[in-house]
């Protein structure tokens, strides 16, 4: 048996512990258990590097410190760079029912002091002493598990080296989470997706796929070329078909190939040659760019627990932007009731296929909802994110803070029966915000009363606070009793930060400018 086969066998054996662990710490909150959180973004680092402030995305999983509400929980949180103690304390003060100092005694922050642009899991694995330190801290490993942002062979190796199971999908199934894999699953589930072709590698295959689209969809105007493992829409490129394509096969394909020179990239750093080289490396898809007078980008978040039970976690309307209109900027919870039931039904069909294939953990299904005049909404599946996403953390925070749950219609009510709504983004930014230390920022928040108030279960939650000083960028979750209140909290947060940093309209961040032009409830 090879080393890889031995690792895979041991990993599967470790995973068999999860059903019993899951049942115990969900049915008995006081039961003793240990969670190792490794917020590694184990993606293609070249593509990931195109996201501003990405070194601080490791802070997004800090919302999982709310697991310390369970008095039997112990957590170790591992990071590449130090997290300011004031930031950690900010999260601990959000806990209800447990004193912050009691939770703090059950928390260990472990920093590697390594800012190189590599996956955190890779950094841990190359440090045997760190691995041993984590093993020693975990203690009784039969009652411990590993939580990661996504699952790759790196996370599988770490789970085996630590001798604890990974609360996530087996990396052997990671193909499902690619753009090509998602299209295959949609077909198996009988869920419609845009016309297109997948499992492509070469430029000539891209041209052939574009040619096939002209036959499948006469009069098609635009298509999307997507990297299989793009992140937050940054791996997409918008293609515009030439007008008056020649009928002769060779000339038509030459014209289609020539139009690749005018690809419009979601990521600012992409250029045609580099993009196609990356496309050749990781593969991708070509599909129709769906257009209509009304277009929305909803998503459904689901979870398959270790007992193989499939549940809907939440729905969101995603806000997309950037030059191509395909970059994830934020989300509103929940998705519109106009199509919410439809996307939930379709997502559950996708989830059932994933259950059959042995998937585990959190995932989401993204859709495009389109409507023409005097017609109903029609929803098309776009991709499967077989991991946590930007919509994961806001809902986790809301659920932990309010003790509420989703009802049959996809509405969320707190434990007190009050409906809750939020707007969330990772990218509230402006150049003038740079230089704000966590202490400066928290003083501003408290002075203006922006913080989340348990008494009303409304207010603003903040994340990626560490990114402010260098990048002028922060994440916000604005929770209200109505959609309008959530949007107003977002507006007020921007206004306060602009005023406190003397940001002028010309210095405001890209997201701010985009949102000023978007029609939504707060206008």
């Amino acid at each position: 048996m090879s080393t890889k086969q031995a690792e895979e066998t041991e990993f599967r054996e470790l995973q068999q512990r999860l059903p019993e662990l899951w049942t115990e710490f969900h049915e008995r909150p006081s039961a003793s258990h240990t969670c190792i959180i490794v917020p590694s973004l184990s993606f293609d680092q070249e593509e990931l590097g195109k996201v501003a402030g990405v070194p601080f995305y490791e802070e997004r999983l800090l919302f999982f410190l709310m697991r310390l509400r369970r008095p039997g929980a112990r957590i170790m949180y591992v990071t590449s760079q130090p997290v300011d103690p004031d930031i950690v304390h900010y999260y601990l003060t959000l806990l209800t029912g447990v004193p912050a100092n009691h939770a703090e005694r059950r928390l260990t922050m472990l920093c590697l002091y390594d800012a190189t642009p590599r996956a955190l899991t890779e950094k841990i694995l190359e440090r045997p002493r760190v691995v041993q330190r984590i093993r020693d801290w975990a203690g009784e490993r039969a009652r411990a598990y590993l939580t990661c942002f996504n699952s790759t062979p790196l996370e599988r190796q770490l789970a085996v080296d630590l001798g604890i199971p990974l609360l996530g999908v087996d990396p052997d199934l990671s193909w499902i989470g690619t753009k090509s894999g998602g299209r295959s699953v949609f077909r198996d589930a009988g869920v419609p997706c845009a016309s297109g072709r997948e499992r492509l590698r070469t430029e000539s295959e891209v041209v052939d796929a574009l040619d096939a689209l002209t036959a499948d969809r006469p009069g098609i105007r635009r298509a999307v070329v997507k990297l299989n493992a793009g992140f937050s829409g940054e791996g997409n490129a918008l293609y515009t078909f030439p007008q008056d394509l020649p009928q002769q096969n060779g000339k038509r394909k030459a014209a289609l190939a020539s139009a690749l020179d005018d690809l419009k990239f979601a990521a600012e750093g992409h250029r045609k040659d580099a993009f196609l080289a990356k496309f050749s490396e990781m593969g991708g898809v070509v599909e129709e760019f769906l257009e209509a007078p009304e277009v929305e980008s909803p998503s459904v978040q689901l979870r398959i627990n270790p007992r193989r039970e499939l549940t809907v976690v939440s729905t969101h309307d995603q806000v997309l932007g950037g030059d191509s209109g395909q970059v994830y900027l934020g989300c509103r919870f929940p998705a519109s009731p106009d199509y919410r039931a439809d996307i939930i039904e379709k997502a559950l069909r996708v989830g059932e296929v994933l259950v059959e294939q042995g998937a585990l953990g959190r995932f989401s299904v993204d859709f495009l909802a389109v409507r023409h005049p005097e017609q109903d909404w029609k929803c098309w599946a776009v991709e499967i994110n077989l991991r946590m996403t930007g919509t994961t953390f806001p809902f986790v925070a809301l659920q932990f803070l309010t003790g509420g749950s989703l009802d049959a219609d996809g509405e969320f009510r707190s434990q007190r029966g009050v409906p809750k709504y939020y707007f969330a983004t990772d990218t509230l930014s402006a150049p003038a915000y740079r230089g704000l230390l966590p202490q400066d920022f928290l003083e501003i928040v408290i002075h203006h009363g922006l913080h989340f108030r348990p008494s009303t279960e409304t207010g603003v939650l903040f994340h990626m606070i560490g990114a402010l000083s260098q990048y002028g960028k922060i994440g916000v979750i604005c929770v209200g009793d109505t959609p309008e209140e959530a949007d107003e909290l977002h507006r007020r947060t921007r206004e306060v930060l602009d005023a406190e940093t003397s940001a002028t309209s010309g210095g405001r961040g890209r997201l701010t400018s985009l949102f000023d032009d978007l029609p939504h409830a707060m206008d």
Side-chain angles (χ1 to χ4, degrees), residues 38 150 290 394 511:
V38 178
N150 62 327
L290 296 170
L511 178 72

Side-chain angles (χ1 to χ4, degrees), residues 237-268:
L238 193 61
Y239 176 90
T240 300
F241 285 89
Q243 295 182 351
D244 302 323
L245 277 171
Q247 294 299 310
Q248 199 267 339
N249 187 56
K251 291 182 178 179
R252 185 177 65 254
K253 287 192 175 182
L256 291 168
S258 178
L260 287 171
D261 292 339
D262 298 319
L263 282 173
K264 190 174 184 180
F265 300 103
E268 294 179 2

Side-chain angles (χ1 to χ4, degrees), residues 455-478:
S455 59
T456 63
E457 297 177 328
T458 61
V460 186
L461 298 160
F462 298 94
H463 57 286
M464 289 176 54
I465 297 172
L468 267 174
S469 184
Q470 182 177 350
Y471 294 95
K473 175 178 179 179
I474 192 167
V476 298
I477 306 167
C478 305

Side-chain angles (χ1 to χ4, degrees), residues 378-400:
K378 187 170 184 179
C379 298
W380 304 80
V382 174
E383 66 178 315
I384 300 170
N385 291 300
L386 203 60
R387 53 174 172 82
M388 298 182 193
T389 67
T391 54
T392 299
F393 318 108
F395 187 81
V396 165
L398 180 69
Q399 193 171 41
F400 270 108

